[in-house]
């Protein structure tokens, strides 16, 4: 009975996560109804809490896929509770992505559920575990943009529409960045099982610096323009105009 109870508690949704969802729901309602005296404050809290929810779901997708692939240790580590405080590197998974969101309006991929890869057999399973996170961002982007590509914007308040557009931009940037085949990112994790042992050994020392290298490249004007042109093309394909995402970012940065 004790073991069964422990296993159940390992997978129970964390009150921390539920609290974040509650903030998202309340501030989303405030944005929709115009209840807040300053709409920018409501948009800020709504987008930030929704972004944290997406980060939690991103890491949960990794953990849940790993569980079904053979790593039964993820439950004991608390990864199935959606609690962001349980991640191996809460700084990388939550704090830094939120800071970059506040400072630059970019969906920086987080990362840090520790998967015991030795428990998993089969290269396809390893690839799927890595792909699960970015696919979650893709799904989140589709949900955010659904009113746009379904043509269901009638009656949607402008502030809420702009907030959704900006949140979609964050999800698209996170999905693209994290899908790059750069050591340390999920895109490399997808192809890593298919590389030779020698190549993996040579690349391994660079993994801790992969995200920093990508971020540094984005400071190069030509790379930055190319990247955001790609993001804008994806958003337009989903029915979102660039000015709507920009309006959402302006509301978000109310200060």
């Amino acid at each position: 009975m004790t073991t069964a109870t422990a296993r159940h508690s390992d997978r129970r949704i964390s009150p921390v996560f539920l609290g974040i969802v509650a903030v998202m729901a309340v501030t989303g309602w405030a944005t929709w109804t115009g209840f807040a005296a300053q709409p920018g404050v409501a948009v800020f809290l709504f987008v930030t809490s929704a972004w944290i929810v997406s980060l939690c779901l991103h890491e949960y997708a990794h953990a849940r896929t790993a569980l079904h692939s053979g790593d039964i240790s993820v439950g004991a580590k608390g990864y199935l509770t959606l609690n962001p405080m349980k991640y191996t590197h809460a700084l990388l998974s939550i704090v830094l992505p939120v800071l970059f969101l506040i400072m630059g309006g970019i969906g920086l991929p987080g990362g840090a559920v520790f998967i015991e890869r030795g428990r998993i057999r089969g290269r396809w399973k390893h690839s799927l575990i890595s792909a699960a996170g970015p696919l979650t961002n893709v799904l989140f982007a589709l949900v955010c943009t659904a009113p746009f590509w379904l043509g269901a914007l009638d009656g949607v308040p402008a502030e809420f529409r702009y907030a959704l557009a900006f949140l979609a931009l964050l999800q698209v940037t996170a999905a693209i960045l994290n899908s790059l085949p750069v050591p340390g990112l999920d895109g490399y994790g997808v192809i890593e099982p298919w590389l030779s042992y020698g190549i993996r050994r040579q690349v391994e020392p660079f993994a801790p610096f992969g995200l920093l290298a990508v971020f540094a490249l984005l400071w190069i004007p030509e790379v930055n323009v190319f990247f955001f042109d790609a993001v804008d093309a994806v958003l337009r394909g989903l029915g979102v105009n660039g000015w709507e995402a920009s309006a959402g970012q302006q509301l978000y940065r109310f200060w």
Side-chain angles (χ1 to χ4, degrees):
M1 294 295 291
T2 303
T3 303
T5 302
R7 287 180 178 175
H8 179 69
S9 64
D10 287 342
R11 305 182 189 191
R12 185 181 299 148
I13 296 178
S14 164
V16 175
F17 178 77
L18 293 177
I20 298 169
V21 171
V23 172
M24 181 183 71
V26 171
T27 54
W29 169 82
T31 301
W32 181 283
T33 61
F35 179 81
Q38 289 186 312
V41 176
V43 169
F44 174 84
L45 293 174
F46 170 63
V47 172
T48 300
S49 56
W51 175 236
I52 295 175
V53 166
S54 74
L55 292 173
C56 292
L57 293 174
H58 177 112
E59 304 301 342
Y60 176 83
H62 285 309
R64 174 60 70 172
T65 308
L67 175 69
H68 292 293
S69 298
D71 183 6
I72 60 174
S73 70
V74 294
K77 296 185 180 83
Y79 297 155
L80 301 178
T81 66
L82 291 163
N83 184 354
M85 306 307 295
K86 293 292 185 180
Y87 300 144
T88 307
H89 302 294
L91 176 67
L92 290 177
S93 292
I94 299 296
V95 178
L96 281 181
V98 171
L99 284 177
F100 276 98
L101 166 58
I102 293 173
M103 292 188 300
I106 187 172
L108 181 73
V113 293
F114 178 70
I115 306 298
E116 295 187 16
R117 296 281 183 169
R119 295 174 177 264
I120 299 163
R121 298 289 180 267
R123 289 183 291 182
W124 282 108
K125 290 181 179 179
H126 286 281
S127 295
L128 184 59
I129 290 170
S130 295
L135 289 175
T136 302
N137 292 114
V138 171
L139 180 60
F140 212 105
L142 290 174
V143 171
C144 291
T145 58
F148 298 86
W149 49 266
L150 288 175
L153 291 172
D154 291 343
V156 178
E159 288 81 4
F160 191 82
R161 183 169 76 248
Y162 299 155
L164 282 182
F166 180 48
L167 186 56
L169 179 145
L170 297 176
Q171 300 302 326
V172 171
T173 57
I176 293 176
L177 288 174
N178 222 2
S179 297
L180 295 175
V182 175
L185 299 181
D186 288 330
Y188 176 75
V190 172
I191 66 173
E192 183 183 23
W194 307 90
L195 301 177
S196 68
Y197 177 75
I199 293 177
R200 282 181 284 160
R201 283 294 303 272
Q202 290 178 340
V203 170
E204 186 176 0
F206 300 100
F209 311 105
L211 183 57
L212 292 176
V214 170
F215 183 68
L217 285 173
L218 287 175
W219 281 93
I220 301 174
E222 293 81 5
V223 176
N224 187 279
V225 169
F226 176 80
F227 173 73
F228 279 102
D229 281 349
V231 171
D232 185 61
V234 173
L235 288 175
R236 281 189 279 107
L238 294 171
V240 180
N241 292 317
W243 66 265
E244 292 174 304
S246 296
Q249 184 176 12
Q250 291 175 5
L251 279 172
Y252 180 85
R253 304 189 72 183
F254 66 93
W255 56 90

